[in-house]
Amino acid sequence: MSVNFTKPFTQQEAIPESAIERAVELLRSGRLHRYNTLKGETSEAELLEAEYASWQGTRYCVAVASGGQAMQIALRAAGVKPGDKVLANAWTLAPVPGAIHAVGAAPVYVETGDDWLTDLADLEAKAATSGARHFMLSHMRGHICDMDEVVRICAQYGISLIEDCAHTMGAEWKGRKSGNFGAAGCFSTQTYKHINSGEGGFLTTDDEDLAARAIILSGSYMLYARHGAAPSEEAFRKVRLETPNCSARIDNLRATILRAQLPLLEDNIRRWNNLYRAIEAGLAGASGIVTVPREQHEAFVGSSFQFHTLGITQADIPQFIANCLKRGVEVKWFGPEEPVAFTSRYDSWRYVADIPVLPKTLATLSTTCDLRLPLTFNEADCSLIAQIITEEAGKLVG
Ligand SMILES: *Cc1c(COP(=O)(O)O)cnc(C)c1O
């Protein structure tokens, strides 16, 4: 008899009790807006910004309403104007082209290779010829490409780098935190990311002018001094009346929930990586399945797992996905023409004017399968998930 997996793939851990107590206190006070403080009181949002900047190792941090808003604000604050082109790796999630579109710019997609890393030869070619002055690098599903090369290419062509770290909060490349390689890092604290406030995000930077613009853009009014990791008054004086208020603030309730999770992140990363290694070990030698060893310089956060279904025909992949699901294993596939749930492909973002054909990316995605690994799973769960995938793939290998 075949065994099934019964835990949900979308169940996160509970919010720490200390945060629940503080949240109830805040609700009783009614002071949820980040600038609604008593005399001498420092808001939860301010404290969170100081703590995140310190954790991330950046001078400035602004907490915002979502990761998507962090990206929009970063693009604007970095000087992207309507009509501009922005380089972007083609394998990413819909909020990335959405942010580029929202600032009136258009993505120039860069190929993603079968190791799920941005194709740096294609990046260099497009950096040289596209006229784009910005690169939104999305470390999709936590895969971090050769950042020495990315930084070199950006410097050589005068391109400013913005990192989408929705899947790399806490990850590093050669010992340097993801998000700290370019002009700004953007993070999400949406439920399925590495810390969970339902919705939320951060923008981090070491550039004081960018930070000042970002804080005003986030909707600070003239209360910009009441931020926990903000530049000096002088930096704001230059931009405060020339920068629009885009109302994307975080609130104190979310800030409090996040503050309680930050001290747990390091240990959670270790737990995620144990789950990741359990899946990897369980799929080793599975027929029809190909896993990709991670780059040696990458200290990643294994909050999801990707594999290729190279031994299963394209026509059989939907059957494979359905058979896994029947046994409780939710495998997502990036291959289908029609977007499903959170999963979509660059050619389904039709509002983009020129959608290129990217043969490498399409070939990669046609066999790319994806598993979420929430911390409500344990290593035994992951071994069972890998066993089910191995059995179901085995049935379809030609
Ligand atoms: C979730 C996500 C975002 C956006 O974050 P939101 O907080 O949901 O707006 C951006 N990029 C990637 C790759 C994501 O997965």
Side-chain angles (χ1 to χ4, degrees):
M1 239 216 31
S2 69
V3 278
N4 291 346
F5 185 67
T6 53
K7 288 188 183 175
F9 276 72
T10 50
Q11 181 61 53
Q12 309 306 315
E13 291 195 297
I15 300 303
E17 280 305 317
S18 63
I20 295 174
E21 278 169 34
R22 178 71 187 118
V24 169
E25 217 176 276
L26 261 171
L27 289 169
R28 294 212 164 99
S29 81
R31 291 194 300 280
L32 298 184
H33 194 283
R34 66 169 297 160
Y35 304 124
N36 183 201
T37 49
L38 299 176
K39 208 170 170 30
E41 187 183 27
T42 307
S43 75
E44 290 291 323
E46 268 186 85
L47 293 167
L48 172 67
E49 287 166 336
E51 288 161 7
Y52 195 78
S54 154
W55 194 85
Q56 180 66 25
T58 53
R59 292 169 72 192
Y60 311 115
C61 169
V62 49
V64 293
S66 71
Q69 285 293 335
M71 291 188 291
Q72 261 186 60
I73 290 170
L75 290 164
R76 268 207 184 94
V80 175
K81 299 273 181 305
D84 283 359
K85 289 176 175 164
V86 175
L87 294 160
N89 45 304
W91 184 45
T92 183
L93 236 57
V96 177
I100 295 170
H101 188 76
V103 301
V108 175
Y109 292 123
V110 178
E111 292 266 28
T112 300
D114 59 10
D115 49 7
W116 301 295
L117 300 175
T118 298
D119 180 330
L120 297 177
D122 195 44
L123 173 66
E124 181 146 24
K126 286 169 179 161
T129 58
S130 66
R133 297 272 65 92
H134 299 86
F135 176 27
M136 171 64 81
L137 171 56
S138 181
H139 303 293
M140 182 63 174
R141 290 296 188 264
H143 296 271
I144 305 178
C145 60
D146 182 339
M147 293 305 293
D148 286 342
E149 266 299 282
V150 169
V151 168
R152 179 196 64 78
I153 293 167
C154 288
Q156 184 167 336
Y157 297 95
I159 286 167
S160 116
L161 171 67
I162 296 166
E163 292 176 78
D164 168 17
C165 304
H167 304 159
T168 56
M169 178 184 281
E172 295 175 359
W173 199 80
K174 284 193 181 170
R176 186 163 167 191
K177 278 223 167 80
S178 181
N180 295 356
F181 287 84
C186 304
F187 300 84
S188 169
T189 64
Q190 188 238 79
T191 291
Y192 303 111
K193 312 300 163 84
H194 297 171
I195 51 178
N196 167 19
S197 57
E199 305 285 356
F202 298 113
L203 183 160
T204 58
T205 182
D206 283 333
D207 177 331
E208 66 170 3
D209 293 325
L210 194 154
R213 283 193 294 273
I215 288 171
I216 307 245
L217 283 162
S218 79
S220 70
Y221 304 93
M222 292 298 124
L223 301 167
Y224 46 77
R226 288 166 59 183
H227 277 249
S232 67
E233 176 70 30
E234 175 57 30
F236 286 102
R237 225 170 288 142
K238 290 183 267 178
V239 299
R240 56 182 216 139
L241 305 179
E242 272 93 60
T243 308
N245 173 328
C246 297
S247 257
R249 292 169 302 275
I250 198 155
D251 59 84
N252 286 331
L253 194 56
R254 290 190 174 110
T256 242
I257 293 171
L258 293 173
R259 287 187 66 209
Q261 292 171 59
L262 204 47
L264 309 177
L265 188 49
E266 210 63 63
D267 194 50
N268 285 345
I269 290 171
R270 188 189 53 74
R271 293 169 63 209
W272 264 308
N273 289 345
N274 288 340
L275 302 183
Y276 184 99
R277 293 303 180 196
I279 296 274
E280 189 176 49
L283 290 181
S287 74
I289 300 287
V290 172
T291 60
V292 179
R294 302 296 288 248
E295 271 273 328
Q296 73 184 90
H297 296 307
E298 200 189 2
F300 62 93
V301 181
S303 52
S304 69
F305 191 96
Q306 291 70 46
F307 60 88
H308 286 292
T309 50
L310 286 186
I312 303 173
T313 64
Q314 282 290 300
D316 280 344
I317 296 175
Q319 194 58 53
F320 165 68
I321 304 288
N323 292 349
C324 288
L325 190 60
K326 252 187 251 160
R327 297 181 62 187
V329 174
E330 232 180 272
V331 178
K332 288 185 272 179
W333 175 43
F334 280 91
E337 297 286 326
E338 275 301 308
V340 180
F342 286 109
T343 309
S344 58
R345 223 167 54 183
Y346 81 90
D347 52 351
S348 50
W349 305 324
R350 301 277 167 81
Y351 52 84
V352 171
D354 300 304
I355 301 175
V357 175
L358 298 171
K360 206 170 201 170
T361 303
L362 291 173
T364 293
L365 297 187
S366 71
T367 58
T368 294
C369 287
D370 179 39
L371 293 166
R372 277 182 211 278
L373 301 177
L375 289 176
T376 48
F377 290 0
N378 57 37
E379 288 167 58
D381 293 333
C382 290
S383 301
L384 176 56
I385 290 166
Q387 181 195 325
I388 291 171
I389 291 171
T390 303
E391 288 170 6
E392 293 308 324
K395 290 179 194 163
L396 291 168
V397 171

